[in-house]
């Protein structure tokens, strides 16, 4: 793989640069114009300097007199050329920087938008650290050569002009140029090929280091409580050392080639002086021409390096582009239809009909995982249906299907008789809301977390949703009320408070179908009962309560449901009221009893924690 990359990296890298030029042609043209202006003036300045030396300095030395007007004219010429070179440099750098940053911003948006379009199954196969790297360092790497690219293009134009001027001056000096310039280009090509596998490996390790760091920080609670600090530190250090060694390898290669790239133009200047001296003695050239050509080789040393900068960064650019393109070319997005549902306050009807679903494997050669098979049930309008089953039965998957986070492999999921795949994103979002098992709270105010800047949700609506979620009491007690910052992932709130806040967020949008995926597990049972009872009553201004699909564990929650769907191994084994299932399904009885016993033990432990004396300085937060 590395060998193949080494051979075609220049071709692929130039394709990436060509794509950048096609996307930003006007800005690139401005930058190249500035670079060409600078390059042309470099050639002009060389001949002006030669003329000053040959026609002003040498005669002044020979005669012992300095012509003031001639010297002033030379100074004005050099100053004017310098000013125009500054204009060229400004245009080149401004255009190149503007082009580079515009491309990086545009592709960050494209990558992020693609993330949101791809299904959860794709996200399950890609770590968060890798996704962060794709949107940040990989995008930067892909367009990093844009900064020196206009300079390199202008340098190529300048080299053509320089070689042409050398032939006009003297064929022998031109041959020196023809020997030096191709040698520089060949050296840059070899450098780029050697650098390609090193840059690709370094870019991959950057993503891995980012992924390990993110995983360790995100799982800080587990790391600390399980005493895994040393192991996680060692795991991160191992990959960080690999990245260090990879970057050192890159630097070592640069250390070998950079001096060679610096030396070649100097050797060219030396060769020009040797050949030029011989030609000067032969009378083929003048002092003015010799000084002009020697100075030209001297000032070309730096611009020619721009070509090397571009070629040196091509491997990194190709590696970054490959990783970005992997996201942009990923398949599996779920296109929305153009159907809509009634925009009213009546509850919606949810129906599953012969639904099958399985998760794709993490790797292509592994078998997939079947989760649901032939699932069929209905949540009638205004009714509450509870999903009950052991761990792994498919309850959360059903919740995801209901809000179309994933699509079934077979069968249909409908809202009011319309396949959810035919609905627009806006219609689906306004009809159904999910409160997930793990609450997510943004690092923002309480108000912003609930309203999410959705139109039509004012403070009155926010407080109404908080009351329905039994959260208005603790929010009112917060230092700044709705304006209280809750911290990253809601770190200033308890687990139950976060759950009630996310429930209020869903309710603020007045959904016609509410899907609760064990959304009140961290809430006190008494509070949970009050919440569910409130949800079953019509909200102010609404003719009927929303339909509710709830993943339930507690007996009190299950008993509130109009119907219970009992699942085992992804299939519906029984349905009926809570009382009916207790009387006819032994597996259901065992499961509910086990849940109830576990809940009693948690309540006993909570009571003990509330009354037991604590060591000085320690507190236990109890959700009330």
């Amino acid at each position: 793989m590395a060998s193949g990359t080494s051979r075609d990296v220049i071709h692929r890298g130039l394709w990436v640069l060509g794509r950048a030029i096609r996307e930003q042609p006007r800005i690139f043209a401005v930058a190249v114009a500035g670079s060409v202006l600078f390059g042309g003036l470099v050639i002009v300045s060389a001949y002006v300097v030669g003329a000053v030396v040959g026609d002003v300095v040498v005669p002044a030395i020979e005669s012992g007199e300095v012509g003031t007007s001639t010297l002033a004219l030379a100074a004005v010429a050099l100053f004017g050329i310098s000013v125009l070179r500054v204009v060229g440099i400004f245009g080149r750098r401004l255009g190149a920087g503007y082009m580079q940053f515009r491309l990086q911003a545009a592709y960050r948006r494209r990558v992020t938008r693609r993330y949101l379009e791809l299904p959860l199954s794709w996200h399950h196969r890609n770590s968060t650290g890798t996704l962060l790297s794709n949107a940040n360092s990989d995008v930067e790497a892909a367009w990093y050569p844009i900064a020196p690219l206009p300079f390199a293009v202008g340098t190529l134009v300048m080299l053509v002009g320089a070689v042409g001027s050398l032939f006009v001056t003297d064929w022998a000096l031109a041959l020196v140029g023809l020997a030096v310039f191709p040698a520089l280009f060949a050296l840059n090509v070899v450098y780029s090929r050697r650098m390609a596998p090193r840059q690709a490996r370094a870019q991959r390790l950057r993503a891995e280091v980012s992924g390990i760091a993110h995983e360790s920080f995100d799982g800080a609670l587990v790391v600390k409580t399980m005493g895994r600090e040393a192991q996680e530190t060692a795991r991160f250090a191992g990959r960080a050392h690999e990245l260090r060694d990879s970057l050192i390898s890159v630097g070592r290669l640069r250390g070998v080639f950079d001096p060679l790239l610096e030396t070649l133009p100097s050797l060219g200047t030396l060769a020009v002086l040797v050949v030029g001296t011989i030609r000067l003695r032969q009378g083929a050239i003048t002092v003015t021409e010799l000084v002009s050509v020697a100075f030209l080789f001297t000032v070309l040393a730096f611009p020619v390096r721009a070509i090397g900068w571009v070629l040196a960064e091509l491997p990194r650019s190709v590696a970054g582009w490959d990783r970005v393109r992997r996201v942009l070319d990923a398949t599996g997005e779920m296109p929305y239809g153009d159907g809509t549902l009634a925009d009213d306050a009546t509850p919606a009807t949810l129906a599953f009909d012969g639904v099958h679903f399985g998760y794709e494997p993490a790797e292509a050669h592994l078998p997939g995982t079947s989760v649901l098979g032939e699932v069929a049930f209905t949540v009638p309008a205004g009714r509450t249906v509870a999903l009950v089953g052991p761990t792994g039965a498919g309850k959360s998957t059903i919740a995801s299907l209901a809000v179309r986070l994933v699509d079934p492999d077979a069968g249909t999921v409908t809202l009011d008789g319309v396949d959810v795949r035919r609905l627009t994103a806006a219609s689906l979002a306004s009809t159904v809301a999910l409160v997930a098992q793990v609450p997510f709270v943004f690092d923002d105010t309480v108000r912003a977390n609930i309203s999410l800047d959705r139109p039509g949700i004012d403070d009155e609506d926010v407080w109404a949703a908080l009351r329905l979620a039994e959260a208005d009491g603790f929010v009112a007690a917060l230092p700044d009320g709705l304006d209280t910052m809750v911290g990253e992932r809601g770190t200033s709130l308890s687990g139950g408070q976060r759950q009630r806040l996310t429930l209020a967020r869903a309710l603020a949008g007045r959904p016609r179908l509410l899907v609760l995926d064990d959304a009140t597990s961290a809430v006190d049972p008494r509070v949970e009962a009050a919440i569910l009872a409130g949800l079953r009553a019509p909200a102010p201004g609404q003719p009927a309560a929303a339909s509710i699909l709830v993943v339930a564990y507690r007996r009190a929650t299950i008993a509130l449901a109009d119907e219970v769907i009992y699942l085992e191994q992804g299939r519906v084994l029984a349905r009926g009221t809570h009382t009916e299932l207790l009387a006819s399904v032994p597996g259901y009885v065992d499961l509910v009893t086990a849940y109830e016993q576990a809940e009693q033990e948690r309540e006993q432990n909570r009571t003990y924690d509330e009354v037991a004396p604590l060591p000085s300085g320690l507190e236990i937060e109890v959700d009330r």
Side-chain angles (χ1 to χ4, degrees):
M1 180 66 180
S3 175
T5 303
S6 299
R7 286 193 299 268
D8 66 2
V9 65
I10 293 178
H11 178 267
R12 295 170 61 205
L14 292 177
W15 183 90
V16 174
L17 296 182
R19 184 185 184 98
I21 295 170
R22 290 192 299 273
E23 292 198 16
Q24 302 289 336
R26 294 182 180 178
I27 301 175
F28 180 72
V30 170
V32 169
S35 181
V36 170
L37 175 62
F38 171 82
L41 291 172
V42 166
I43 298 175
V44 172
S45 66
Y47 283 91
V48 170
V49 168
V52 170
V53 172
D55 300 335
V56 178
V57 176
V58 172
I61 294 174
E62 291 176 348
S63 65
E65 297 180 358
V66 178
T68 305
S69 59
T70 305
L71 187 61
L73 180 62
V76 170
L78 290 174
F79 179 76
I81 290 172
S82 298
V83 171
L84 291 176
R85 286 175 64 178
V86 169
V87 172
I89 292 172
F90 178 79
R92 182 194 77 220
R93 291 189 174 179
L94 180 64
Y98 197 59
M99 180 179 178
Q100 181 183 34
F101 297 139
R102 277 177 65 93
L103 284 168
Q104 290 175 350
Y107 274 83
R108 283 194 180 98
R109 290 193 297 269
R110 292 184 191 181
V111 168
T112 303
R113 183 166 61 247
R114 191 63 180 152
Y115 286 160
L116 299 177
E117 292 171 348
L118 290 166
L120 285 179
S121 57
W122 185 88
H123 288 270
H124 293 158
R125 299 193 301 272
N126 295 274
S127 69
T128 303
T130 298
L131 302 185
L132 290 174
S133 179
N134 292 152
N136 187 30
S137 64
D138 291 333
V139 169
E140 288 185 359
W143 306 120
Y144 197 80
I146 296 301
L149 178 62
F151 196 9
V153 173
T155 298
L156 288 173
V157 175
M158 181 177 61
L159 288 178
V160 173
V163 172
S165 66
L166 288 177
F167 272 105
V168 171
T169 302
D170 183 67
W171 65 267
L173 296 179
L175 291 178
V176 175
L178 289 179
V180 172
F181 297 147
L184 276 172
F185 184 77
L187 186 61
N188 278 311
V189 169
V190 173
Y191 177 34
S192 179
R193 289 185 174 182
R194 294 285 183 89
M195 184 65 76
R198 291 172 172 82
Q199 288 281 28
R201 183 170 185 270
Q203 199 65 19
R204 175 178 57 82
L205 287 171
R206 283 188 180 97
E208 293 181 8
V209 168
S210 175
I212 293 174
H214 180 274
E215 191 174 56
S216 297
F217 301 155
D218 212 31
L221 178 63
V222 176
V223 171
K224 295 186 72 65
T225 56
M226 300 300 292
R228 298 288 299 176
E229 294 95 333
Q231 290 82 356
E232 283 299 303
T233 300
R235 186 165 74 104
F236 179 81
R239 194 63 87 240
H241 289 162
E242 287 187 48
L243 177 58
R244 175 203 62 193
D245 294 341
S246 179
L247 293 175
I248 289 175
S249 176
V250 170
R252 187 181 295 116
L253 188 64
R254 281 180 174 164
V256 171
F257 277 87
D258 280 357
L260 294 176
L261 294 171
E262 290 281 359
T263 302
L264 267 179
S266 300
L267 292 176
T269 303
L270 181 60
V272 164
L273 291 174
V274 172
V275 175
T277 302
I278 297 173
R279 298 292 289 169
L280 181 63
R281 288 177 179 176
Q282 295 173 347
I285 61 173
T286 64
V287 172
T288 297
E289 291 171 332
L290 176 58
V291 172
S292 296
V293 173
F295 185 77
L296 182 61
F297 269 78
T298 302
V299 296
L300 280 177
F302 175 74
V304 167
R305 291 299 311 278
I307 301 174
W309 295 335
V310 172
L311 293 176
E313 293 299 334
L314 283 185
R316 183 182 174 191
S317 174
V318 170
W321 173 253
D322 286 344
R323 294 171 63 82
V324 169
R325 189 178 62 181
R326 185 184 66 86
V327 176
L328 298 179
D329 293 346
T331 58
E333 72 274 16
M334 298 185 298
Y336 290 93
D338 55 6
T340 59
L341 297 175
D343 187 14
D344 55 31
T346 59
T349 298
L350 172 70
F352 279 61
D353 184 13
V355 170
H356 292 255
F357 181 81
Y359 287 105
E360 296 180 10
E363 299 180 22
H365 65 277
L366 297 177
T369 304
S370 178
V371 179
L372 300 176
E374 206 60 39
V375 172
F377 67 89
T378 300
V379 180
R383 310 290 280 178
T384 299
V385 173
L387 292 175
V388 180
T391 301
K395 303 181 296 297
S396 294
T397 301
I398 289 177
S400 297
L401 286 162
V403 297
R404 212 196 165 205
L405 292 179
V406 293
D407 281 336
D409 298 329
T412 58
V413 179
T414 62
L415 284 170
D416 289 343
V418 180
D419 192 323
V420 294
R421 289 171 289 199
R422 293 173 48 201
L423 296 174
T424 64
S427 181
L428 186 63
S430 65
T431 302
V432 59
L434 169 69
V435 185
Q437 192 172 19
V438 179
F440 182 85
V441 181
F442 294 96
D443 184 8
D444 209 329
T445 64
V446 172
R447 177 188 291 104
N449 266 286
I450 295 175
S451 68
L452 295 181
D453 292 329
R454 288 173 288 183
I457 299 180
D458 54 22
D459 281 3
E460 184 178 346
D461 297 318
V462 170
W463 281 113
L466 288 170
R467 283 192 295 272
L468 198 54
E470 295 289 324
D472 55 321
F474 83 79
V475 171
L478 292 174
D480 297 313
L482 293 179
D483 294 314
T484 301
M485 297 293 296
V486 298
E488 185 177 2
R489 294 181 177 267
T491 53
S492 65
L493 306 175
S494 71
Q497 289 172 336
R498 287 194 295 271
Q499 283 193 332
R500 283 179 276 171
L501 210 61
T502 55
L503 177 59
R505 174 195 299 159
L507 294 172
R510 296 188 180 90
R512 299 170 57 212
L513 170 67
L514 188 61
V515 181
L516 306 177
D517 185 7
D518 193 23
T520 53
S521 58
V523 176
D524 184 280
R526 293 179 295 276
V527 176
E528 181 187 37
I531 292 173
L532 292 176
L535 294 178
R536 287 170 58 84
Q542 290 187 326
S547 309
I548 300 175
L549 176 65
V550 55
V551 176
Y553 293 91
R554 292 169 174 166
R555 183 188 290 260
T557 304
I558 299 170
L560 290 173
D562 299 300
E563 184 181 27
V564 178
I565 307 295
Y566 179 60
L567 299 166
E568 278 190 10
Q569 298 181 349
R571 294 182 178 273
V572 177
L573 260 63
R575 67 182 65 197
T577 64
H578 174 59
T579 304
E580 291 171 347
L581 295 186
L582 284 177
S584 59
V585 184
Y588 178 79
V589 176
D590 294 340
L591 185 65
V592 172
T593 302
Y595 286 153
E596 192 171 38
Q597 291 174 349
E599 184 62 34
Q600 289 174 352
E601 291 177 1
R602 283 196 294 269
E603 284 298 305
Q604 290 173 356
N605 292 334
R606 180 179 297 168
T607 302
Y608 175 79
D609 289 337
E610 290 176 350
V611 301
L614 299 175
S616 176
L618 295 181
E619 296 180 357
I620 291 181
E621 180 185 36
V622 179
D623 183 68
R624 299 181 184 279

